[in-house]
Amino acid sequence: MSIADIKKNAEQKMAKSIEAFKNELAKIRTGRAHPGILDQVQVEYYGSMVPISQVANVALMDARTISVQPWEKGMGAKIEKAIRESDLGLNPSSQGDLIRVPMPPLTEERRKELTKVVKGAGEDAKVAVRNLRRDANEQAKRLLKDKEITEDEDRRSQDDIQKLTDKVIAEVDKLVQAKEAEIMAV
């Protein structure tokens, strides 16, 4: 393994951490409706638990309402119950085959709680990135110890990895700020 491999590997893993963080942020509810909110809700389908998206069409009706159209007749009641029992605080209502899920407006207290959740998720993402930096630096130290690279190359690789880490952490901070602004917007 070379220093270039270590850097490339660290960069790929950090990019995956950013993607995982973006997915985590997408699950955090803002005032607007978003079909991804229902991604973690599971419904019983022929004896096994599956995501709603595998048994129904989930779409936006308008900025504050999600529509859920079950693919099978008998699934409507099960889907409605699963949404109601989830910890999302949503209250679906049936209109024939269609299930409407209105998004209640966020209270000021709830908005502040959500910003704390976003900050916590941001800190978790930063810790993951710093752990990747540590792993990459340890790999470079191992190469130095095995005399495959010089001390200058080791120092240069640590500087490069630190620059990459700083860039990724700045991106995490930017994502946290954007999500907080989205939550606090009335």
Side-chain angles (χ1 to χ4, degrees), residues 131-148:
N131 286 341
L132 292 171
R133 174 191 61 193
R134 182 196 64 220
D135 294 345
N137 285 338
E138 284 176 1
Q139 288 174 337
K141 288 278 184 217
R142 223 173 290 125
L143 288 178
L144 177 64
K145 184 179 167 207
D146 294 343
K147 300 199 183 326
E148 293 180 32

Side-chain angles (χ1 to χ4, degrees), residues 26 32-40 53 58-60 65-67:
R32 295 194 320 265
H34 183 277
I37 290 171
L38 298 178
D39 284 350
Q40 71 255 28
S53 60
V58 180
L60 287 180
T65 312
I66 299 172
S67 70

Side-chain angles (χ1 to χ4, degrees), residues 38 52 56-57 59 61 65-70 75-81 83-84 91-102:
L38 298 178
I52 286 180
N57 186 26
M61 288 181 83
T65 312
I66 299 172
S67 70
V68 181
Q69 179 79 45
M75 289 302 296
K78 289 180 180 179
I79 291 172
E80 193 174 343
K81 182 179 178 201
I83 294 171
R84 192 169 282 120
N91 192 17
S93 62
S94 291
Q95 293 181 327
D97 289 343
L98 184 71
I99 300 169
R100 295 182 54 162
V101 185

